[in-house]
Amino acid sequence: MYDIIVIGAGSTGSTIASRVSEDPNRSVLLIEAGPDYANLEQTPFDLVNSHQNSMQDHDWGFNYEPTRNRSVSFPRGRVTGGSSAVNTTIALRGMPEDYDEWADLGNDEWCWDKVLPAFKRLERDLDFGDAGYHGDSGPISIRRYPNDELLPQHQAFLETASDLGYAACADANDPEGWGAGPQPMNKLGRLRISCAVAYLASARIRPNLTIRANTLVRRLVLNGNRCTGVEVENQSGEVETLSARLVVLSAGALMSPPILMRSGIGPNSQLTQHSIDTLQDEPGVGANLSDHPALSVVCMAKGGAIIDFDSPIIQTILRYTTEGSDKRNDMQIEQISYAGRPGGPPLFAIAACLEYQYGRGEIRLRSADPHAHPIVEARFCEDDRDTARLVKAFKDTLAFTRTGALGDMVDSLAFPDPKRPMDDEDIAQLVRKLAGSGYHPCGTVKMGPIADPEAVVDQYGCCHRLENLVVADASIMPFVPRANINLTSIMIGEKIGEWIRTQPGRYGL
Ligand SMILES: Cc1cc2nc3c(=O)[nH]c(=O)nc-3n(C[C@H](O)[C@H](O)[C@H](O)COP(=O)(O)OP(=O)(O)OC[C@H]3O[C@@H](n4cnc5c(N)ncnc54)[C@H](O)[C@@H]3O)c2cc1C
């Protein structure tokens, strides 16, 4: 019997396990489906190497439908550190208004003024640590590439942004800032500062924390409306039950809903379809899938650009507001250092990423089998407000290929076909057909007040209608914030981890 079982050692789960095990009197078990590497010497290169995403060796192998009837892969980390161990290490916070909007939906603990201390606590900003809105002593080291470390195409991107009238922005995490500048990144040289590195490395020495890797959680164990533990399966297929006074589900936005559904917690119609007994009808489980739809312009490079697949894939960022939008910084344009494959033609890309999304998708259960992958339908750009802004942003992105220093590096467009008409309706067709995920799924176990029929957990992560069960990961975000969501996922871990440690009564401990 553990005090606390945390399911999933990802961005949020690692943070929670680390924070709650600071109390030496709490026994904590962290369960991870993927492997665990106890130190950097044992850690494989794909996890160390932040210059590229790790998309195969530590991946779940999921597919999803970004737009109707199109199936593409959807990477998710399967290893201690979770997706933070395989990602691009972009370390951006959402806009203050995002968290204030979360609060307006009935989650007053998540307004900007209340999340800012957790954002400060999690980071060690090596460039702006002394700014009032930054931290200088947290576990996640963050720095920005100085100008002389930028690849030529990134230097050119910043010059062209200036030519096009965008402001220069030295710190993209300045809550008032906008414009183009170096990307804040949680990497030191090549080393990816994942949550395994930042949080688990120092916590794993504690005798009250056990990390159990290569262990799949099949389902939760419930006694009436009380969660009492988890059913797990090891690599040899042996199944056992582990008990705890509190279970924290942190399997991520794509995997937390299926675990709940297989445990009888989810939309009644889906559970019945898979012959699962309904313990709690929860229509919100798997609904409200929110993400960042994106579409890239791909350029054939000519002289100057360095197309080196061993160099950092991202170094710079433009955050701005699309014309006529009432959502500040609702868009990102990102210079991608290289595209295609090594040995192929010399390509780079410029991505337009919609950051404030109105549309919503859905996650459904494929089967009651705990090994089955979920059905993920993002339904990008089915909301005309999303399409209209992504169309504008795509045109803004095309302007980079024709202007200034970056324009000079473009030999021709590989995508879109330069022979296309490229009027608004043509681009709208492109984004409705080809928009893809920024890899930031969230919202699928939404937090909110009990009066919200879609809300599964309250603002402390506690299930409204079940006891001793907390959900804490990207799935509880009411909607995607205007930034890549790793830092926000860690911030959620910082807040809920602290609450569990300092307010145990709220969590039945
Ligand atoms: C390729 C890629 C690039 C990205 N780039 C960036 C970026 O640069 N910046 C950024 O901000 N965000 C980025 N993201 C997104 C960001 O990393 C994730 O949104 C964030 O890590 C989500 O945190 P989480 O805790 O919700 O889930 P995860 O970190 O995915 O953690 C879930 C964990 O639960 C485990 N798990 C799942 N099911 C089970 C089970 N049944 N039993 C046991 N364990 C289980 C998983 O293996 C995983 O370790 C990227 C994501 C990917 C995949």
Side-chain angles (χ1 to χ4, degrees):
M1 168 71 95
Y2 292 90
D3 287 321
I4 302 164
I5 288 179
V6 181
I7 303 170
S11 303
T12 314
S14 296
T15 305
I16 291 184
S18 164
R19 289 304 186 200
V20 296
S21 63
E22 284 172 5
D23 178 349
N25 295 319
R26 287 269 177 251
S27 57
V28 180
L29 172 65
L30 176 61
I31 303 176
E32 169 56 43
D36 178 42
Y37 303 102
N39 55 47
L40 275 182
E41 287 73 53
Q42 290 170 15
T43 303
F45 182 67
D46 63 301
L47 303 179
V48 171
N49 179 27
S50 63
H51 285 5
Q52 290 179 341
N53 297 323
S54 165
M55 309 278 254
Q56 277 175 352
D57 292 356
H58 296 90
D59 186 64
W60 280 84
F62 293 156
N63 273 52
Y64 81 119
E65 270 193 19
T67 52
R68 304 256 171 182
N69 303 320
R70 197 159 65 93
S71 179
V72 290
S73 64
F74 203 161
R76 288 290 96 187
R78 183 176 173 136
V79 60
T80 47
S83 297
S84 80
V86 300
N87 75 11
T88 321
T89 67
I90 293 169
L92 274 183
R93 300 169 177 176
M95 300 307 295
E97 297 92 311
D98 292 322
Y99 309 103
D100 286 339
E101 269 191 54
W102 289 8
D104 290 345
L105 293 171
N107 308 295
D108 57 292
E109 289 292 344
W110 298 86
C111 66
W112 173 244
D113 286 348
K114 290 190 176 177
V115 299
L116 181 58
F119 275 122
K120 289 166 68 169
R121 190 164 67 239
L122 69 85
E123 73 174 7
R124 175 169 173 250
D125 192 304
L126 294 163
D127 302 314
F128 296 98
D130 54 352
Y133 52 85
H134 273 304
D136 63 1
S137 54
I140 302 279
S141 294
I142 295 175
R143 82 183 274 269
R144 296 149 192 80
Y145 283 98
N147 209 40
D148 60 2
E149 288 181 29
L150 294 181
L151 295 170
Q153 53 270 48
H154 286 277
Q155 289 182 8
F157 175 77
L158 296 185
E159 278 178 45
T160 295
S162 171
D163 294 345
L164 289 168
Y166 298 107
C169 182
D171 179 14
N173 277 330
D174 179 341
E176 301 301 323
W178 80 281
Q183 182 77 268
M185 303 191 83
N186 50 305
K187 63 194 290 187
L188 291 175
R190 207 181 265 272
L191 176 64
R192 180 183 282 111
I193 308 296
S194 71
C195 288
V197 172
Y199 283 93
L200 294 183
S202 55
R204 64 173 68 243
I205 199 170
R206 295 175 191 148
N208 59 321
L209 173 65
T210 307
I211 301 173
R212 207 162 146 170
N214 299 311
T215 303
L216 182 82
V217 171
R218 294 162 58 93
R219 62 181 190 94
L220 308 170
V221 178
L222 287 114
N223 184 357
N225 71 344
R226 213 161 59 83
C227 185
T228 58
V230 295
E231 183 184 281
V232 298
E233 180 180 327
N234 68 15
Q235 272 180 309
S236 319
E238 288 154 355
V239 175
E240 69 178 301
T241 297
L242 303 167
S243 303
R245 296 167 65 203
L246 176 70
V247 173
V248 179
L249 178 56
S250 300
L254 302 188
M255 286 300 265
S256 285
I259 291 174
L260 289 168
M261 290 190 221
R262 287 198 302 270
S263 314
I265 305 158
N268 188 35
S269 55
Q270 270 194 69
L271 304 186
T272 313
Q273 187 191 340
H274 296 290
S275 308
I276 298 169
D277 290 340
T278 303
L279 293 177
Q280 183 60 56
D281 182 17
E282 288 282 359
V285 172
N288 189 48
L289 173 62
S290 182
D291 198 343
H292 293 136
L295 191 64
S296 294
V297 173
V298 183
C299 306
M300 187 78 75
K302 66 177 177 198
I306 295 175
I307 306 303
D308 172 5
F309 283 79
D310 194 36
S311 60
I313 189 160
I314 287 223
Q315 295 184 307
T316 49
I317 171 85
L318 165 62
R319 294 181 105 172
Y320 75 108
T321 310
T322 41
E323 194 193 329
S325 170
D326 61 348
K327 302 292 180 189
R328 196 165 62 99
N329 286 348
D330 61 347
M331 196 63 62
Q332 282 184 13
I333 294 182
E334 286 180 5
Q335 170 72 37
I336 316 288
S337 311
Y338 39 85
R341 289 181 203 294
L347 300 171
F348 65 73
I350 316 171
C353 312
L354 179 63
E355 296 295 298
Y356 190 96
Q357 191 212 22
Y358 288 95
R360 296 288 182 266
E362 184 186 22
I363 289 179
R364 294 197 309 278
L365 204 58
R366 192 179 300 275
S367 125
D369 176 356
H371 300 271
H373 292 178
I375 298 170
V376 182
E377 291 180 359
R379 303 197 189 124
F380 287 144
C381 295
E382 293 191 10
D383 187 303
D384 290 343
R385 292 167 292 184
D386 294 343
T387 307
R389 284 173 308 132
L390 197 50
V391 167
K392 281 189 182 139
F394 197 72
K395 286 162 69 178
D396 295 338
T397 307
L398 283 168
F400 276 81
T401 68
R402 297 188 292 258
T403 309
L406 194 63
D408 289 343
M409 286 183 178
V410 176
D411 178 72
S412 56
L413 286 191
F415 177 85
D417 182 346
K419 292 195 215 80
R420 290 183 78 109
M422 282 297 123
D423 54 29
D424 282 12
E425 188 41 43
D426 187 68
I427 299 175
Q429 278 180 24
L430 274 187
V431 302
R432 281 195 204 103
K433 192 171 163 201
L434 294 176
S437 170
Y439 300 155
H440 306 140
C442 60
T444 50
V445 189
K446 182 181 159 190
M447 72 170 150
I450 197 161
D452 175 352
E454 230 179 33
V456 182
V457 297
D458 68 13
Q459 62 170 336
Y460 301 96
C462 301
C463 286
H464 279 305
R465 288 160 281 268
L466 296 162
E467 289 173 20
N468 305 83
L469 179 59
V470 164
V471 184
D473 56 27
S475 69
I476 71 167
M477 299 179 193
F479 59 84
V480 72
R482 276 162 268 187
N484 315 46
I485 62 170
N486 191 38
L487 281 199
T488 299
S489 304
I490 300 169
M491 178 276 284
I492 289 173
E494 283 280 353
K495 278 180 78 78
I496 294 184
E498 185 186 22
W499 284 329
I500 294 174
R501 193 168 55 80
T502 58
Q503 304 175 24
R506 179 186 295 287
Y507 295 91
L509 288 170

